[in-house]
C-alpha cells in the first residue's frame, strides 16, 4: 500500500512578547514537572551511596575473649 500526500499546509502564527513569555514559562514548567521523578531517583541513589559509605567506614568495637570462644564445646 502506498500513500501520497494530497495537501500540504504551512501554518504559522505571530504572537506578542508578553504571550511569548507566558508560553515559555508554561513550557519550562512542564519540563521541570516531567523531570521531577528523575531528580527524586537521583537524590535517592546519592543518599544510598552516602549511607553505604558511612556504614562501610564504621568501626566495629573489638570483641572480647568470651565472644571468640566456640558456642558448643565437645
Amino acid at each position: 500500500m502506498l500513500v501520497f500526500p494530497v495537501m500540504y499546509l504551512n501554518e504559522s502564527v505571530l504572537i506578542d512578547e508578553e504571550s511569548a513569555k507566558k508560553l515559555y514559562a508554561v513550557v519550562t514548567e512542564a519540563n521541570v514537572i516531567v523531570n521531577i521523578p528523575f531528580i527524586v531517583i537521583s537524590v535517592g541513589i546519592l543518599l544510598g551511596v552516602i549511607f553505604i559509605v558511612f556504614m562501610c567506614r564504621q568501626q566495629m568495637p573489638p570483641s572480647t575473649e568470651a565472644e571468640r570462644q566456640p558456642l558448643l564445646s565437645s
Side-chain angles (χ1 to χ4, degrees), residues 8-9 11 20 22 31 33 42 44 61 63-66 71:
Y8 175 76
L9 296 175
E11 296 182 16
K22 287 180 183 178
N31 285 338
I33 291 173
S42 300
S63 60
T64 63
E65 182 66 32
L71 295 175

Side-chain angles (χ1 to χ4, degrees), residues 4-66:
F4 286 105
V6 177
M7 184 172 44
Y8 175 76
L9 296 175
N10 185 9
E11 296 182 16
S12 62
V13 67
L14 182 63
I15 60 173
D16 58 301
E17 189 68 29
E18 183 180 337
S19 297
K21 287 180 182 179
K22 287 180 183 178
L23 180 63
Y24 179 77
V26 168
V27 170
T28 303
E29 182 180 343
N31 285 338
V32 170
I33 291 173
V34 166
N35 289 326
I36 285 177
F38 300 111
I39 294 169
V40 170
I41 290 170
S42 300
V43 169
I45 290 172
L46 179 65
L47 289 175
V49 168
I50 291 172
F51 175 76
I52 289 171
V53 167
F54 280 137
M55 291 306 291
C56 289
R57 294 185 70 197
Q58 183 179 4
Q59 298 272 336
M60 298 299 289
S63 60
T64 63
E65 182 66 32

